[in-house]
Amino acid sequence: MNKVKEFYTREEVDALKEWYDNMPLPESLQLDKAVFIPSVRQTVDRLFRQAYLCYENPKLLGGLRLLERIKEKLGTPVG
């Protein structure tokens, strides 16, 4: 079972953003049985806007966790 991060540093968010900036993303993505993302690039951009505002608050890390799940689904293990 993956350990869930309790907080992120600005450097970790920047590194994740750099990975996404250099990755060709699919137009859409079926993340799991219940989650379909029709516009991956638009979703990622919005999640990063949220991430930069909330990365230090452990109660508002859902966006970063979703970014990590998308990254993992695209074939690069997180961590």
Side-chain angles (χ1 to χ4, degrees), residues 42-55:
Q42 186 178 36
T43 299
V44 165
D45 289 345
R46 289 177 180 176
L47 288 171
F48 271 111
R49 279 188 261 161
Q50 176 186 347
Y52 278 109
L53 294 173
C54 304
Y55 68 91

Side-chain angles (χ1 to χ4, degrees), residues 3-71:
K3 184 177 181 194
V4 175
K5 288 182 70 86
E6 295 293 326
F7 67 93
Y8 287 78
T9 65
R10 173 69 184 236
E11 292 77 20
E12 289 172 317
V13 178
D14 288 342
L16 189 59
K17 175 92 168 77
E18 184 177 341
W19 184 89
Y20 273 100
D21 287 345
N22 293 307
M23 172 60 77
L25 298 176
E27 179 66 30
S28 62
L29 179 68
Q30 186 74 47
L31 187 58
D32 59 32
K33 191 164 65 171
V35 178
F36 175 73
I37 303 169
S39 178
V40 176
R41 176 53 64 191
Q42 186 178 36
T43 299
V44 165
D45 289 345
R46 289 177 180 176
L47 288 171
F48 271 111
R49 279 188 261 161
Q50 176 186 347
Y52 278 109
L53 294 173
C54 304
Y55 68 91
E56 295 177 304
N57 187 335
K59 295 180 183 207
L60 298 174
L61 295 181
L64 276 163
R65 292 186 179 131
L66 186 54
L67 286 164
E68 288 189 355
R69 287 185 58 210
I70 294 167
K71 181 180 177 183

